Amino acid sequence: MKESSKAAGPEIFRQRGDPDILHEKPHNHFINGDIYSRTALVCSAITLILGTLAMIGWLMGIRSLTSFVPGYIPIAPGAALAFILLGGAWYLYARAPSRRFTKIYVLVSVFSTSLIALLNLIQFLTGANAGIEEYFTRAVLTIDPGTYGAGPMSPITAVSFLLICVATVLLLFVPRYRAGLSSGMASVVVSVGLVVLMGYLYGTPQLYGGGYRYVALPAGVMFVFLGTGIIAAAGPEHFPLRLLVGPSIRALLMRSFLLVIFVVILIDGTFHSLLLRLGLTEALRAAMSALIALAITSVVISQISRVVGGAMDRTEAERKRTEQALLKSEQLYRSLFGNMLDAFAYCKMHFDDQGRPVDFVYLEVNSAFEKLTGLENVIGKKVTQVIPGIKESYPDLFEIYGRAALTGKPEKFEIDFKPLRAWFSISVYSIEKEYFVTVFDNITERKRAEEELKKRTEELARSNAELEQFVYIASHYLQEPLRTVSNFSQLLAKRYKGELDAKADQYFSFIVDGTSRMQQMIDDLLAYSQVIARTKPFEPTNCETAFDQALTNVKMAIEESGALVTHDPLPTVMADASQMVQLFQNLFSNAIKFRKEKPRITVSAVQRGNEWLFSVQDNGIGIAPEFMEYIFKMFEREHASSEYPGTGVGLAICKKIVEHHGGRIWVESEQGKGTTFYFTIPAKRVE
C-alpha cells in the first residue's frame, strides 16, 4: 500500500464514497486489491455484530448470546464492550477514514479498550482492583458479571486487546512502513483465537486458559475476525499475506497446506466430540478418528495434488513457451543482425577519472561491419588496438561516442576516415549508460560522385560565365562596325535612289533592312547576357509596383492598340525589382504584338504551397501546338518578321529571369483563342 499525499493519515482502505481516497491498481494480479479493503470491512462488521449480540445478551438476560453455545463460558461485559468499540472503530474507518468524527472515535475506542485491558492485566498480576470496570458494568450498565458465572477478563484476552490496540495505532496513525509490525501483531492475535477455538472444539481447557482465567468462546471467535481484518488492511506486502497470496507455487502450497490443517482439525474435532457423546471406548474412538482423518486427508491431499500439479504443469508449459519465444526472438534478431546491409557495432566506452572518453571495446559486430571496414576479429578488442593512433587523429569521434554513451542522445554525422580510406555516414545511440551502438554505411562512392558533380558544376558555371562574357563583349564590339555599315548603307540608298535601276534600289533596301535586324538582334543578345551579369540582390518587391512600371514602359504600344490591361491583387516577393518589371513588360509586349483584335490582358497571382503562381492571359492569336516546345528558345519565331516584328529573344529573357529567381515558366494556348503564360516565384518570407 502506498502512502497518501494527504496529511490526514494513511490510506488503508480504498472506498469509492470517500473523496479523499484515491483508487489504486491491485496489489497483484492474483487477487484484486479491493478484496483486502472489503475483507477488513466485513471482518470489522462481524466483530461489531458479535460484540453487540453479546452485550444484548447481558442487557436482556439471554445467556446463549453471551456464550454462543449453551453451557460454555460467557464473555465478560468489559470484553464485549471492547469488541464493540474496536469493531465499530475499524468499520467506521473502512467506510470514511478522512472524517474527523471517525478519527476521534478510533482514538477514544483504542484508549478505552487499552484502559480496560491494562486494568484487568494489572489486577491479574498484582491483585489490585481499581474498580473502574466493575463500576461501569454494575452502575452504568446494571449488569452483574457473576450472573452467568463470568469472571474478570482473562489475561490472554487482555494481552490480545493490547496487541490489537497497538496494531491499530501503528497501522492508522504511524507512517506506513509500520504496517508489517501491525500485521505481525494481528497474526499473533488470530493465532491465539484459533488456539482457543481448538481448545473448545477438542474440549481441552488448557488451550483456552486452563489454570488461569478462561478465554470465552465468543472472544476467540471475535479475535479471529478482528485480527483477520487488520491483516487484510495491512495488505499483501506484509506477513502473513505476503506468503499466502499470489500465483507462485510457494503461495499455492502454503494455502493448500493451511487448508489441509484447518479441515483436518475441524473435522477431527467434530467427530471427536460426536464419538465421545456416543459413549464408545477410547480405543474405538481413536481408531475411528484416525480412519476419518486419513480419509479426509487423502481427499484433501488428492485435491491439493491435482491443483498443485496443474499449477506446476502450467508453470512448466509457460516456461517452455517463454523459452521458445525467446529462442525465436533470438533467431529473428540474429537473422536481422546478420543480414543488415549497414554495419553495426555494439561497444562499451571507457572513461578516465575526469569522465573523458579514452577508449572503447567492441562487444559485438555484424558481417556488414567486416565487409564495409575490412576489419576482422575485433570482438573483445579495444579500438586503439584495432586502429592504432585513432584517438590522436580523431578526438572528435571519441567525444561524440562518449557523449552518446553518457547522455543517451542519438547523433548522426559523416566522417572521412583516412585509416580505412573511406567515407562513412554514422548514426550513434545508447541503450545503456557507458554503452553505445553505431550503425554506419560506406558512402565513399557517393562522396566521390558529389565531388565530381561539384567539380563539373564549377566548370560549367565558369564556362557559362565565360560564354556570357564572350556574348557581351562580342555583341558590344560588333555594334560599332555594324552601325557603320548601316549608316553608309542608308546614305547610299538616299544618294543613288532612282539613279540606278530598280534592282539596285531593291538591293539597297535589303542591305538597310538586314543591318537593322542585325542591330536589333545584337541589342537583344546583349540584353539576354546582362540578365545575370547585372542582377541585384533580391529584396522585397511589390509586384503591383512592377506591374505599373511595366505598363508605363509600353504605354505607347497600349495606346496604339487600344489594349486593356488589368490585374488582380499581386503579392510582394523577394526579387530583383528591375527584372520583374522587364518580365511583365516582355509578356505585355508579346500579348500586344500577337493580336487579332483589341487586346485584353489579365494578370493574377495565387499562393500554392511555398510559391506564388502568376498568370498573364491574353485574347491574342494563340500559338500553334507544333511550336510550343520552341517558344522559349533564342531567336525562334513562329511568324516571319514581315508579319510580326521582333527577334525571338523576349520570351527567352523571360525564362532566364524566372529561373534566376528559382521559379518555372510555361505556356498554355489554343490557336485563335488566346494564350496564358504561367510562372512561379518562391514565396520566401519577406522581412
Side-chain angles (χ1 to χ4, degrees):
M1 293 180 293
K2 299 180 180 179
E3 293 187 13
S4 171
S5 60
K6 303 285 183 184
E11 297 176 21
I12 298 299
F13 301 101
R14 306 295 187 268
Q15 295 298 322
R16 297 186 180 275
D18 196 322
D20 292 331
I21 300 301
L22 302 175
H23 296 290
E24 298 182 355
K25 293 182 179 179
H27 295 286
N28 55 60
H29 298 292
F30 180 72
I31 298 180
N32 188 291
D34 288 341
I35 195 173
Y36 302 115
S37 60
R38 290 198 298 269
T39 300
L41 185 66
V42 170
C43 288
S44 61
I46 292 175
T47 303
L48 176 61
I49 292 171
L50 293 179
T52 303
L53 289 176
M55 185 60 71
I56 290 173
W58 280 108
L59 294 174
M60 299 185 66
I62 306 175
R63 177 183 174 87
S64 59
L65 291 180
T66 63
S67 61
F68 292 178
V69 178
Y72 278 27
I73 301 170
I75 186 172
L81 176 62
F83 280 118
I84 292 173
L85 291 174
L86 292 177
W90 273 101
Y91 183 80
L92 286 177
Y93 201 91
R95 295 302 301 267
S98 62
R99 292 180 182 175
R100 185 178 180 183
F101 171 77
T102 300
K103 296 176 182 178
I104 294 175
Y105 180 82
V106 170
L107 291 174
V108 170
S109 299
V110 169
F111 176 78
S112 301
T113 303
S114 301
L115 181 62
I116 293 173
L118 281 173
L119 290 175
N120 279 276
L121 196 59
I122 291 172
Q123 181 183 359
F124 173 76
L125 295 175
T126 65
N129 185 4
I132 295 177
E133 183 180 6
E134 184 177 354
Y135 171 78
F136 175 77
T137 55
R138 293 183 182 274
V140 178
L141 299 179
T142 64
I143 296 173
D144 181 9
T147 301
Y148 303 128
M153 184 185 295
S154 168
I156 298 176
T157 303
V159 172
S160 298
F161 274 131
L162 289 175
L163 289 175
I164 290 292
C165 290
V166 173
T168 300
V169 171
L170 290 177
L171 192 58
L172 301 184
F173 299 101
V174 179
R176 192 62 48 83
Y177 60 85
R178 301 292 185 184
L181 182 57
S182 299
S183 182
M185 292 180 178
S187 300
V188 173
V189 173
V190 171
S191 300
V192 170
L194 291 175
V195 170
V196 169
L197 296 181
M198 191 184 303
Y200 279 101
L201 182 64
Y202 280 93
T204 309
Q206 289 80 2
L207 295 181
Y208 51 86
Y212 298 99
R213 295 176 184 172
Y214 293 127
V215 179
L217 175 64
V221 173
M222 284 184 271
F223 275 134
V224 171
F225 282 109
L226 189 57
T228 302
I230 295 176
I231 292 172
E237 295 90 351
H238 307 289
F239 175 87
L241 291 184
R242 186 178 58 200
L243 303 177
L244 298 175
V245 300
S248 66
I249 297 297
R250 184 189 68 176
L252 181 61
L253 289 173
M254 288 288 291
R255 292 194 299 270
S256 301
F257 284 121
L258 285 177
L259 178 62
V260 170
I261 294 172
F262 177 76
V263 171
V264 169
I265 291 176
L266 179 63
I267 296 178
D268 181 68
T270 302
F271 277 98
H272 176 80
S273 300
L274 180 61
L275 295 177
L276 187 62
R277 292 181 181 181
L278 293 176
L280 300 178
T281 62
E282 183 176 353
L284 185 57
R285 289 200 309 271
M288 293 188 67
S289 295
L291 289 175
I292 294 171
L294 179 62
I296 296 171
T297 304
S298 299
V299 172
V300 174
I301 290 179
S302 175
Q303 181 67 14
I304 290 175
S305 300
R306 186 182 67 82
V307 173
V308 174
M312 295 180 68
D313 290 342
R314 288 191 297 273
T315 301
E316 179 65 18
E318 182 64 25
R319 185 187 65 81
K320 289 183 178 180
R321 284 195 298 270
T322 303
E323 287 181 353
Q324 292 174 355
L326 184 61
L327 180 61
K328 185 177 180 180
S329 176
E330 178 73 12
Q331 291 173 345
L332 178 61
Y333 163 75
R334 288 295 175 186
S335 176
L336 294 174
F337 182 72
N339 293 317
M340 284 177 61
L341 297 178
D342 290 340
F344 176 97
Y346 177 48
C347 310
K348 184 181 189 307
M349 179 63 74
H350 292 171
F351 298 89
D352 60 16
D353 295 338
Q354 286 74 39
R356 293 173 298 192
V358 295
D359 209 340
F360 60 87
V361 178
Y362 290 103
L363 300 180
E364 194 164 5
V365 298
N366 64 351
S367 58
F369 176 92
E370 298 180 351
K371 180 179 179 181
L372 294 181
T373 63
L375 302 175
E376 298 180 351
N377 302 319
V378 300
I379 296 178
K381 296 181 181 179
K382 296 181 178 179
V383 69
T384 52
Q385 296 175 312
V386 178
I387 309 175
I390 182 175
K391 187 176 185 302
E392 294 73 21
S393 302
Y394 298 92
D396 291 344
L397 184 66
F398 278 72
E399 289 297 325
I400 295 173
Y401 287 167
R403 188 163 56 243
L406 287 179
T407 65
K409 184 178 179 180
E411 298 191 34
K412 187 173 183 178
F413 60 96
E414 294 180 353
I415 185 172
D416 181 9
F417 201 66
K418 289 182 171 50
L420 300 181
R421 299 177 182 178
W423 274 87
F424 294 103
S425 174
I426 303 177
S427 296
V428 56
Y429 58 93
S430 176
I431 57 176
E432 185 180 355
K433 190 173 182 180
E434 297 187 1
Y435 294 82
F436 66 94
V437 172
T438 61
V439 179
F440 59 91
D441 190 18
N442 190 320
I443 58 171
T444 305
E445 292 300 322
R446 193 194 79 190
K447 283 293 183 179
R448 288 175 182 170
E450 289 177 355
E451 288 294 328
E452 184 67 22
L453 179 61
K454 181 180 178 182
K455 181 178 178 181
R456 291 189 179 185
T457 301
E458 291 174 352
E459 290 178 353
L460 182 60
R462 184 170 59 252
S463 176
N464 285 341
E466 292 174 351
L467 180 59
E468 289 175 357
Q469 183 69 12
F470 170 76
V471 170
Y472 174 76
I473 293 173
S475 59
H476 178 74
Y477 285 103
L478 280 175
Q479 288 191 59
E480 183 60 30
L482 185 60
R483 190 177 297 114
T484 301
V485 172
S486 176
N487 290 339
F488 278 101
S489 297
Q490 292 176 15
L491 288 173
L492 286 173
K494 288 180 180 181
R495 173 71 179 79
Y496 295 103
K497 185 176 182 180
E499 295 185 10
L500 302 175
D501 58 11
K503 191 174 287 291
D505 290 342
Q506 186 180 18
Y507 291 160
F508 280 125
S509 177
F510 287 161
I511 294 172
V512 171
D513 226 19
T515 54
S516 296
R517 284 191 290 108
M518 178 65 74
Q519 181 69 43
Q520 184 63 45
M521 291 178 68
I522 291 175
D523 289 342
D524 289 344
L525 186 61
L526 188 61
Y528 181 82
S529 67
Q530 291 177 340
V531 169
I532 303 301
R534 295 188 179 181
T535 188
K536 300 176 184 178
F538 292 169
E539 59 184 4
T541 300
N542 190 325
C543 291
E544 294 194 3
T545 302
F547 174 91
D548 293 338
Q549 183 61 48
L551 283 186
T552 302
N553 294 345
V554 294
K555 182 179 180 181
M556 185 176 295
I558 291 175
E559 291 176 349
E560 290 177 355
S561 63
L564 176 63
V565 184
T566 60
H567 71 85
D568 295 336
L570 301 178
T572 297
V573 297
M574 295 296 292
D576 182 337
S578 61
Q579 290 189 356
M580 291 301 294
V581 171
Q582 187 176 8
L583 174 61
F584 283 126
Q585 179 179 325
N586 287 4
L587 293 175
F588 295 163
S589 299
N590 193 76
I592 294 171
K593 182 191 303 182
F594 297 100
R595 66 180 184 272
K596 62 178 180 177
E597 55 188 38
K598 188 176 181 179
R600 296 288 184 271
I601 305 170
T602 303
V603 180
S604 62
V606 294
Q607 186 171 2
R608 292 187 177 177
N610 57 355
E611 63 183 12
W612 283 99
L613 174 63
F614 291 81
S615 64
V616 180
Q617 185 178 14
D618 63 52
N619 61 343
I621 63 175
I623 303 171
E626 62 271 14
F627 192 74
M628 296 284 280
E629 59 179 304
Y630 304 103
I631 194 71
F632 294 109
K633 292 185 177 180
M634 289 278 291
F635 304 124
E636 293 288 348
R637 294 173 50 83
E638 181 181 3
H639 306 280
S641 60
S642 58
E643 296 180 71
Y644 298 96
T647 60
V649 178
L651 292 179
I653 292 176
C654 291
K655 184 173 186 291
K656 188 85 168 179
I657 291 172
V658 171
E659 290 179 347
H660 176 58
H661 283 75
R664 299 167 290 119
I665 188 169
W666 67 96
V667 63
E668 294 179 1
S669 180
E670 188 174 350
Q671 199 165 14
K673 293 186 178 181
T675 301
T676 302
F677 285 91
Y678 295 95
F679 65 90
T680 63
I681 300 294
K684 298 179 181 178
R685 181 179 178 183
V686 178
E687 300 294 340

